[in-house]
Amino acid sequence: MDVERTSLPGIGLRHVFTTERGRQLGVVSHRTGRRDLVVYDKHDPDTCVVSVQLTGEEANALAELLGTGRVVERLAELNRQVEGLVTEQIPISAASPYAGRSLGDTRARTRTGASIVAVVRNGQVIASPRPDFVFQGDDVVVAVGTAEGAAAVARILTSGG
């Protein structure tokens, strides 16, 4: 799918794509952090028929609803397609040395070669967590890498080692 990116001077960026049924949908990302979800007229793609203003938090929630829940599913498919690549789901207990600490503190990628690609918290998927993301007890971490690397991430998160 092609996404057209357009700079809007003084405003921010606009991303637009066309659905399989010919509708154009877009997101205008303002410099303020606000996002506008936009639906264009089917017969006149320069005319907006619906625009919904979203805060940054609302935009993140919508993104999670639309796609990040499929991250684990896509990783499982990659696992089937790529020889030697595994995904590991690692629960974080309250006793974990990393409960209440950031992803960056683990240095997991540097230490193991495996990547932490998502965290499931209260049924919500947080895809591509940033280094400042703080783990909580009952999180489930999704790591991708070799079997040895993913196992090493599990050891780090469960026992610190």
Side-chain angles (χ1 to χ4, degrees), residues 6 16 34 39 47 55 60 85 87 90-91 93 97 99 117 121 129 132 135-136 151:
T6 306
V16 177
R34 187 183 97 200
V39 179
T47 301
T55 64
N60 289 339
L85 181 68
T87 59
I90 307 156
S93 72
V117 297
R121 177 178 289 162
D132 60 352
F135 295 114
Q136 295 178 1

Side-chain angles (χ1 to χ4, degrees), residues 119-144:
V119 176
V120 181
R121 177 178 289 162
N122 299 322
Q124 299 290 325
V125 176
I126 299 144
S128 302
R130 296 169 39 108
D132 60 352
F133 177 85
V134 176
F135 295 114
Q136 295 178 1
D138 295 327
D139 283 349
V140 177
V141 173
V142 180
V144 175

Side-chain angles (χ1 to χ4, degrees), residues 61-83:
L62 181 59
E64 287 182 27
L65 290 172
L66 290 175
T68 58
R70 296 196 48 188
V71 168
V72 174
E73 180 183 316
R74 289 180 184 165
L75 290 172
E77 179 62 26
L78 272 176
N79 188 24
R80 288 189 289 275
Q81 293 176 3
V82 180
E83 187 74 28

